[in-house]
Amino acid sequence: MTSTSSDFRPFNRLLLTGAAGGLGKVLRERLRPYANILRLSDIANMAPAEGPHEEIVPCDLADKQAVHQLVEGVDAIIHFGGVSVERPFEEIVGPNICGVFHIYEAARRHGVKRVVFASSNHVIGFYKQNEGIDAHALRRPDSYYGLSKSYGEDMASFYFDRYGIETVSIRIGSSFPEPANRRMMSTWLSFDDLTHLIERCLYADNVGHTVVYGMSNNRDVWWDNSHAAHLGFKPKDSSEIFRAKIEAQPQPAEDDPNRIYQGGAFVASGPFGD
Ligand code: NAI
Ligand code: 15L
């Protein structure tokens, strides 16, 4: 592996989970330069392989044996699959909690040395928007979903300490074509910056288990990435270009979680099943 973006060598085979999802479809195109072969996996339908540089492997992350087969022959894993919003715990446990264990256990058995894990800002969503935090701040998950990502980060930490498998856990803010509301003016991560960040997560040396906040170079941010400086992530985009459009929206009420908490509405989801 090299440590500069200009002279990277493509991996032979990269695995992308969650390939049918919003970010998976974006990364399917954008990860092309980084691998001779991109293995694309999801439980949902995916478009057919566009050529010999793609392999389509449907897989349920909750199925340990299927994940074991999925990981065979890959050089690194970009783990973006799973439930991506708040749901009852019973719906999250298979894809996100068992799923992340299956990914790491398969990585160990097949000798994969690097994982990029799509964690989430919902690991720290109960901090208020007037609080600044870094990657060492105590986690404050805002949902069963946020708890599952917190568990994924612990899994990554354990597999590094015990087996030397390196991971960058990206606490992604809001990665969409553009921010949808005032909160996302702070949390927005452009697709270009996401791609650059994943490149750094794949190629930076000695990452151990690194936690990085996935945000663009936005004006008003709550997160400090100084503990991830060794990645060399330098976001170029900013949500400022959307400010006028977003500020034309009515202000949320003073007690609206979207105005108070870093995790926005997730802090008020549930309870389920009553
Ligand atoms: P998405 O929901 O569009 O994609 C997730 C994919 O995972 C879906 O295609 C779904 O079919 C697949 N999946 C769900 N259960 C599965 C299972 N049992 N086995 C295999 N695949 C399964 O979500 P999106 O926005 O593309 O996010 C990708 C990843 O990034 C997710 O892990 C999400 O939690 C994380 N993330 C995304 C953020 C964003 O702003 N888009 C913010 C923070 C985290
Ligand atoms: C996430 O973790 C979700 O996957 C995504 O759909 C958004 O809700 C994002 O966080 C956000 O906080 O904006």
Side-chain angles (χ1 to χ4, degrees):
M1 283 192 217
T2 60
S3 59
T4 62
S5 53
S6 53
D7 62 352
F8 63 80
R9 264 186 309 118
F11 288 79
N12 185 44
R13 187 181 275 103
L14 281 180
L15 168 62
L16 173 65
T17 68
L23 295 183
K25 286 186 189 134
V26 171
L27 294 175
R28 180 174 180 169
E29 297 307 316
R30 287 164 179 251
L31 291 177
R32 234 182 237 198
Y34 307 118
N36 299 327
I37 301 168
L38 202 50
R39 182 173 291 171
L40 301 158
S41 184
D42 205 293
I43 198 171
N45 287 338
M46 293 164 282
E50 287 177 8
H53 64 282
E54 288 188 342
E55 293 174 344
I56 306 294
V57 184
C59 176
D60 180 354
L61 290 163
D63 181 338
K64 187 176 185 185
Q65 186 53 32
V67 175
H68 178 73
Q69 287 168 9
L70 174 67
V71 169
E72 184 171 15
V74 310
D75 302 303
I77 302 171
I78 301 158
H79 182 41
F80 272 54
V83 175
S84 65
V85 291
E86 178 60 332
R87 299 295 304 156
F89 182 75
E90 293 79 358
E91 292 180 32
I92 287 184
V93 66
N96 291 23
I97 292 188
C98 298
V100 77
F101 165 62
H102 296 159
I103 287 286
Y104 277 96
E105 198 43 16
R108 179 189 67 77
R109 291 167 74 190
H110 290 300
V112 179
K113 289 291 178 206
R114 178 77 54 111
V115 178
V116 180
F117 172 54
S119 185
S120 170
N121 71 88
H122 296 288
V123 161
I124 47 80
F126 259 113
Y127 282 97
K128 296 202 170 141
Q129 293 179 7
N130 59 11
E131 296 176 283
I133 57 170
D134 63 20
H136 293 174
L138 191 70
R139 282 175 258 170
R140 298 185 72 181
D142 59 21
S143 49
Y144 298 121
Y145 166 68
L147 276 167
S148 76
K149 295 295 187 179
S150 182
Y151 181 79
E153 291 186 8
D154 282 337
M155 189 70 73
S157 177
F158 167 70
Y159 270 83
F160 174 65
D161 288 340
R162 177 67 181 83
Y163 299 111
I165 297 172
E166 294 192 301
T167 297
V168 181
S169 292
I170 310 177
R171 288 184 184 164
I172 304 172
S174 307
S175 195
F176 299 102
E178 50 186 79
N181 53 39
R182 283 178 163 77
R183 170 184 165 271
M184 289 193 195
M185 289 298 290
S186 294
T187 59
W188 186 62
L189 173 65
S190 73
F191 294 154
D192 281 354
D193 286 338
L194 172 66
T195 306
H196 161 58
L197 176 53
I198 291 178
E199 185 220 293
R200 299 314 310 139
C201 296
L202 287 171
Y203 289 99
D205 291 324
N206 301 321
V207 299
H209 176 224
T210 296
V211 171
V212 61
Y213 290 96
M215 59 185 167
S216 282
N217 187 24
N218 305 324
R219 188 187 77 181
D220 306 316
V221 295
W222 314 315
W223 306 324
D224 171 353
N225 263 336
S226 50
H227 296 300
H230 54 284
L231 294 179
F233 171 48
K234 306 248 181 288
K236 292 192 172 65
D237 293 322
S238 164
S239 59
E240 275 314 289
I241 54 169
F242 304 106
R243 183 166 294 281
K245 184 174 172 187
I246 295 298
E247 290 188 350
Q249 296 177 0
Q251 265 281 12
E254 274 185 21
D255 60 351
D256 186 327
N258 255 312
R259 192 161 165 177
I260 301 171
Y261 292 99
Q262 298 189 2
F266 279 56
V267 307
S269 49
F272 298 98
D274 289 349

